[in-house]
C-alpha cells in the first residue's frame, strides 16, 4: 500500500502565486442585500403582479430601511393580509396600492401598514 | 453621556412585527414548556396579568379578554435582537449590548443628544418595526432611570439634563434603580428610602455597610459621576458577566475560543452558585478603542431554547457566536461573555418525554464545582471540545413561525 502525500507550498518552499490575489468567492448576499439588519425574505402567492415582474412562488427580498417611492413594489399589511403591490403616489394627496391590472386599488390610510420595499424578486426555474 | 436603548415589551413586539393585527391588543408570551408568563404587552399588563405566574391559572382570563398567547419563539427573538443591535451599531457610537433587548451607547461630546435619541427610535422602528425607549444621562445608572421615564412619556425619549436630575429621581421608586432588587428595595423602604432621590441623599457609610461597595458605586453614579464604563462587569439581577482585557493582545480565533471557554467556566460557576440557570448568552470581542491600528468591536447574543447552567452547552453557544463576529486582521484587547435571562433553577420546565436527563448534567456540574471548591479553582476544567450536541426539546403549543430563520416559515404575501 502506498501513501499519497499532498504537495503543498509549505513543503516545497514555493510561495503560492495566487495568495496575493486571493479574492473571496462572489456572494449573492453581498450583491443583493444593502442593509442586512433591515432585510427580510417573503414568498409570493398569486399571479396578479406578474406584469410588474413578480410571479407566483417568487422569493422577494424586502428592505425595510428604505422609504417607498412612486413606482416601487412594496409589502403592505391591509385587510388582515400581507400583500405585495405597487406604491402609487401620482395623484397628489391620494396615495394608493395598485397592481398592473388595476384591480381594486387600495387607498393608503391609517388602516394600511407599509411594511417594506421590494428590492429583488427571485424566480426559480427548477425546483430546489 | 450615556444612552440606554431598551426595546418595549420585546418579545411581544417581535410577535407583532409579523402579525400586525395584534398591535394594540393584549399579548402574553410563555416560558419554555409553556409553563409561566414571561412577557406581556402593555395591554396585557393593563388587564392586571402579572409576570411569572403559571399559565393555567390565567387561561380563563385569556379566553374571556381575547388575549393572544404565544409560546416563546427564541429563534425569532434572537434574530431580531441581533438586528436591533446591528442598527444601533450603525450610529457610530460606542455600543455595549447589555441584554437581549437593551444596549448602552456612550455618546461622544459633540453629539446632538436629543436628535440622536429621535434617530435611534425612528430607525429601529422603521428597519424592524420594534418600538424602543431611549434614556440619556450623565451615567449609566442615571440613563437607566431616564429610560424608566422615557417608557412612560409620550415620545419614548427622555434626556435628563443635570438640573432636571433631582426631579426625575424624586419620581423614581427605589425598586426601579439599577441593581436594586426586590429584597434591597424592601430593606431600603423599611429605612425610609423609597425613591432614587432619597437614596442619593443617603449616608455613604450607611450604604457601604448595608449595600456593600456596589451600593457605594451606585450612589456615586446617581450623584452624576460615572463609575461604570462601557462593557464593564456590573453585578446585576439581570446578568453575570465575565470579561477581561488581555495582557498580551490576541489575534487568533483559537486563542479567543480558549479565552471565551475560560470566561464561560467562571461565569457558569457563579451562576450555579446562585442555583440559577440562564436563558441567553452574549459574547463580545473588542480591539483597543483608541490609538493606532484598526478598531473593531462586535458582539453576538444567542437565546437558548432552554435555560441552563451546563458549562459545555453554554461554551458551545458562545463559540458559535464568536465565530460569527470574529474577523482576521485585528489585534483583540478584550473579550467576554454575559449570561442573562437568569432565574432560579427550580423554575426550569422540562418536557416529560424528553430523552436527555437534566439530572445527569446537574450531577456533572455539582461534581465539577465540588472538586474545584475543595482542590482550588480550575483543578477540573472542561476540555475544549465538549460533548456531542445536546438535543433540545420543549413543549411549544403556540409558537409563531420562525419567520427570519427558516425558509419554510417565510411570510406569504398575496397579490390579490
Amino acid at each position: 500500500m502506498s501513501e499519497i502525500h499532498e504537495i503543498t507550498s509549505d513543503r516545497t518552499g514555493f510561495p503560492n502565486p495566487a495568495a496575493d490575489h486571493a479574492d473571496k468567492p462572489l456572494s449573492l448576499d453581498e450583491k443583493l442585500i444593502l442593509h442586512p439588519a433591515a432585510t427580510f425574505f417573503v414568498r409570493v402567492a398569486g399571479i396578479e403582479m406578474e406584469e410588474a415582474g413578480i410571479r407566483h412562488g417568487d422569493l422577494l427580498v424586502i428592505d425595510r430601511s428604505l422609504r417607498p417611492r412612486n413606482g416601487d413594489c412594496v409589502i403592505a399589511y391591509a385587510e388582515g393580509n400581507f400583500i405585495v403591490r405597487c406604491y402609487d403616489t401620482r395623484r397628489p394627496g391620494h396615495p394608493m396600492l395598485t397592481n398592473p391590472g388595476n384591480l381594486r386599488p387600495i387607498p393608503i390610510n391609517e388602516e394600511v401598514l407599509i411594511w417594506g420595499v421590494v428590492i429583488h424578486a427571485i424566480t426559480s426555474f427548477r425546483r430546489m | 453621556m450615556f444612552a440606554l436603548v431598551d426595546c418595549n415589551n420585546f418579545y411581544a413586539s417581535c410577535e407583532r412585527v409579523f402579525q400586525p393585527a395584534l398591535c394594540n391588543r393584549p399579548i402574553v408570551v410563555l416560558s419554555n414548556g409553556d409553563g409561566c408568563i414571561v412577557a406581556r404587552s402593555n395591554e396585557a399588563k393593563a388587564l392586571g396579568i402579572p409576570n411569572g405566574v403559571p399559565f393555567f391559572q390565567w387561561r380563563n382570563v385569556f379566553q374571556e379578554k381575547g388575549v393572544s398567547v404565544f409560546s416563546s419563539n427564541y429563534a425569532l427573538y434572537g434574530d431580531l435582537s441581533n438586528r436591533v443591535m446591528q442598527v444601533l451599531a450603525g450610529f457610530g457610537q460606542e455600543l455595549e449590548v447589555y441584554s437581549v433587548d437593551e444596549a448602552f451607547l456612550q455618546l461622544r461630546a459633540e453629539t446632538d443628544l436629543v436628535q440622536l435619541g429621535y434617530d435611534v427610535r425612528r430607525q429601529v422602528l422603521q428597519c424592524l418595526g420594534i418600538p424602543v425607549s431611549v434614556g440619556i444621562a450623565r451615567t449609566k445608572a442615571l440613563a437607566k432611570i431616564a429610560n424608566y421615564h422615557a417608557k412612560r412619556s409620550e415620545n419614548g425619549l427622555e434626556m435628563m439634563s443635570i438640573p432636571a436630575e433631582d426631579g426625575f429621581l424624586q419620581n423614581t421608586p427605589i425598586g426601579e434603580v439599577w441593581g436594586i432588587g426586590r429584597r434591597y428595595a424592601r430593606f431600603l423602604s423599611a429605612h425610609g428610602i423609597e425613591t432614587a432621590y432619597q437614596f442619593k441623599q443617603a449616608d455613604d457609610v450607611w450604604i457601604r455597610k448595608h449595600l456593600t461597595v456596589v451600593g457605594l458605586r451606585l450612589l456615586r453614579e446617581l450623584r452624576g459621576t460615572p463609575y461604570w464604563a462601557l462593557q464593564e462587569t456590573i453585578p446585576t439581577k439581570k446578568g453575570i458577566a465575565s470579561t477581561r482585557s488581555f495582557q498580551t493582545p490576541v489575534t487568533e480565533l483559537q486563542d479567543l475560543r480558549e479565552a471565551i471557554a475560560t470566561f464561560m467556566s467562571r461565569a457558569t460557576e457563579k451562576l450555579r452558585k446562585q442555583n440559577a440557570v440562564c436563558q441567553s448568552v452574549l459574547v463580545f470581542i473588542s480591539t483597543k478603542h483608541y490609538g493606532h491600528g484598526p478598531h473593531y468591536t462586535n458582539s453576538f447574543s444567542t437565546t437558548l431554547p432552554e435555560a441552563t447552567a451546563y458549562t459545555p452547552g453554554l461554551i458551545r453557544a458562545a463559540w458559535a457566536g464568536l465565530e460569527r463576529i470574529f474577523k482576521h486582521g485585528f489585534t483583540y484587547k478584550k473579550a467576554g461573555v454575559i449570561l442573562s435571562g437568569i432565574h432560579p433553577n427550580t423554575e426550569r420546565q422540562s418536557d416529560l418525554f424528553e430523552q436527555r436527563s437534566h439530572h445527569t448534567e446537574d450531577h456533572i456540574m455539582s461534581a465539577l464545582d465540588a472538586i474545584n471548591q475543595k482542590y482550588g479553582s480550575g483543578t477540573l476544567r472542561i476540555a475544549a471540545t465538549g460533548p456531542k450536541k445536546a438535543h433540545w426539546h420543549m413543549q411549544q403549543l403556540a409558537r409563531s413561525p420562525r419567520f427570519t430563520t427558516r425558509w419554510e416559515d417565510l411570510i406569504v404575501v398575496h397579490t390579490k
Side-chain angles (χ1 to χ4, degrees):
Chain A
M1 227 166 89
S2 67
E3 277 182 57
I4 297 169
H5 290 281
E6 200 184 339
I7 297 171
T8 68
S9 59
D10 283 358
R11 295 203 178 185
T12 60
F14 287 114
N16 176 355
D20 287 344
H21 307 281
D23 269 343
K24 278 192 297 174
L26 295 175
S27 145
L28 271 180
D29 269 21
E30 257 172 51
K31 182 73 182 166
L32 299 185
I33 299 176
L34 293 168
H35 308 104
T39 298
F40 295 86
F41 303 128
V42 303
R43 185 74 68 186
V44 177
I47 56 170
E48 286 80 0
M49 286 291 283
E50 278 189 356
E51 268 176 70
I54 293 176
R55 305 209 230 177
H56 176 71
D58 277 2
L59 181 68
L60 301 184
V61 181
I62 312 300
D63 189 334
R64 285 188 53 122
S65 72
L66 305 176
R67 271 166 203 274
R69 291 192 295 237
N70 182 50
D72 275 337
C73 290
V74 297
I75 302 301
Y77 188 80
E79 298 163 3
N81 270 312
F82 278 106
I83 54 174
V84 54
R85 289 264 174 149
C86 304
Y87 188 77
D88 186 338
T89 55
R90 284 173 299 178
R91 263 185 74 199
H94 296 279
M96 298 287 232
L97 294 173
T98 58
N99 51 21
N102 215 19
L103 304 159
R104 221 169 52 82
I106 299 173
I108 301 176
N109 55 31
E110 312 83 69
E111 307 280 296
V112 174
L113 173 76
I114 304 293
W115 200 86
V117 175
V118 179
I119 55 170
H120 306 285
I122 299 169
T123 306
S124 298
F125 292 93
R126 275 205 187 197
R127 228 163 227 258
M128 307 265 286
Chain B
M1 295 293 274
F2 292 90
L4 176 65
V5 183
D6 190 356
C7 301
N8 301 348
N9 307 319
F10 182 57
Y11 291 178
S13 297
C14 289
E15 299 292 351
R16 282 177 174 159
V17 174
F18 296 93
Q19 301 190 45
L22 298 177
C23 288
N24 305 317
R25 300 187 48 85
I27 298 178
V28 298
V29 179
L30 306 179
S31 63
N32 289 299
D34 293 344
C36 297
I37 296 162
V38 291
R40 303 158 296 159
S41 69
N42 281 342
E43 297 76 12
K45 289 175 188 171
L47 289 175
I49 300 164
N51 212 16
V53 294
F55 165 57
F56 69 88
Q57 286 180 359
W58 287 79
R59 201 175 344 210
N60 294 338
V61 177
F62 296 157
Q63 249 158 23
E64 234 166 76
K65 308 275 184 188
V67 178
S68 301
V69 180
F70 289 94
S71 302
S72 343
N73 185 348
Y74 290 116
L76 178 66
Y77 310 151
D79 181 65
L80 289 178
S81 165
N82 287 327
R83 289 166 179 260
V84 169
M85 299 312 164
Q86 269 182 57
V87 171
L88 295 181
F91 281 90
Q93 311 272 354
E94 298 262 0
L95 172 75
E96 175 192 348
V97 179
Y98 179 61
S99 72
V100 69
D101 57 357
E102 292 171 282
F104 284 103
L105 293 168
Q106 185 162 20
L107 308 175
R108 282 189 301 272
E110 70 274 21
T111 311
D112 180 340
L113 300 170
V114 174
Q115 187 61 47
L116 180 110
Y118 277 116
D119 291 347
V120 162
R121 278 179 48 79
R122 193 177 43 80
Q123 272 208 38
V124 178
L125 189 64
Q126 182 175 342
C127 292
L128 297 165
I130 290 176
V132 300
S133 304
V134 183
I136 301 174
R138 284 194 282 174
T139 67
K140 286 169 99 175
L142 287 171
K144 268 265 186 191
I145 290 176
N147 194 288
Y148 167 80
H149 291 284
K151 280 224 157 57
R152 281 149 189 82
S153 79
E154 288 260 301
N155 55 13
L157 171 68
E158 206 59 80
M159 156 73 208
M160 206 193 263
S161 65
I162 297 168
E165 280 172 7
D166 283 352
F168 280 111
L169 295 191
Q170 277 159 2
N171 288 312
T172 308
I174 188 66
E176 297 297 332
V177 174
W178 200 13
I180 303 288
R182 212 177 298 164
R183 206 167 51 87
Y184 273 134
R186 220 179 301 131
F187 171 81
L188 288 167
S189 66
H191 287 81
I193 298 176
E194 307 210 5
T195 67
Y197 181 74
Q198 287 167 331
F199 185 84
K200 176 183 166 174
Q201 303 295 319
D203 175 54
D204 290 34
V205 179
W206 189 84
I207 292 289
R208 171 86 176 79
K209 185 174 164 215
H210 294 285
L211 278 84
T212 75
V213 69
V214 176
L216 209 55
R217 287 167 188 163
L218 185 59
L219 206 55
R220 196 175 136 175
E221 283 246 325
L222 292 183
R223 290 172 183 164
T225 314
Y227 177 83
W228 290 305
L230 223 55
Q231 294 185 342
E232 258 188 353
T233 308
I234 301 138
T236 87
K237 56 183 171 182
K238 269 202 164 169
I240 292 175
S242 175
T243 82
R244 180 160 293 184
S245 293
F246 302 124
Q247 293 289 336
T248 328
V250 168
T251 56
E252 298 304 316
L253 178 61
Q254 184 53 33
D255 294 333
L256 281 174
R257 282 165 65 96
E258 280 168 21
I260 293 294
T262 311
F263 298 149
M264 187 57 88
S265 301
R266 211 175 296 146
T268 46
E269 203 179 313
K270 234 188 260 178
L271 185 67
R272 290 191 297 270
K273 216 172 255 172
Q274 300 176 9
N275 195 21
V277 288
C278 74
Q279 189 73 66
S280 146
V281 177
L282 180 128
V283 54
F284 76 86
I285 51 177
S286 172
T287 62
K288 280 188 304 186
H289 290 317
Y290 305 101
H292 296 296
H295 301 162
Y296 175 69
T297 297
N298 207 346
S299 66
F300 193 87
S301 129
T302 309
T303 307
L304 305 162
E306 191 173 16
T308 179
Y310 186 56
T311 310
L314 287 163
I315 289 178
R316 255 194 318 270
W319 279 358
L322 174 65
E323 256 150 51
R324 291 188 66 146
I325 56 175
F326 176 79
K327 279 192 188 168
H328 277 290
F330 291 97
T331 303
Y332 293 98
K333 190 73 181 114
K334 196 171 179 182
V337 296
I338 300 173
L339 308 180
S340 57
I342 291 173
H343 48 265
N345 197 0
T346 47
E347 276 177 29
R348 190 166 64 176
Q349 305 283 321
S350 139
D351 190 332
L352 280 175
F353 303 103
E354 203 194 326
Q355 297 295 311
R356 191 176 54 108
S357 157
H358 287 308
H359 289 296
T360 320
E361 291 184 354
D362 288 348
H363 285 317
I364 295 170
M365 290 298 107
S366 336
L368 176 86
D369 292 340
I371 290 170
N372 284 338
Q373 206 177 359
K374 191 161 180 192
Y375 299 103
S377 178
T379 303
L380 194 60
R381 288 183 298 129
I382 306 289
T385 45
K388 266 196 241 158
K389 208 174 171 193
H391 298 286
W392 303 106
H393 283 294
M394 55 183 165
Q395 187 188 355
Q396 290 192 315
L397 295 178
R399 183 177 47 65
S400 50
R402 287 164 283 198
F403 300 107
T404 61
T405 54
R406 298 288 171 116
W407 289 113
E408 63 272 22
D409 282 6
L410 294 185
I411 283 221
V412 173
V413 298
H414 300 272
T415 56
K416 268 222 174 94

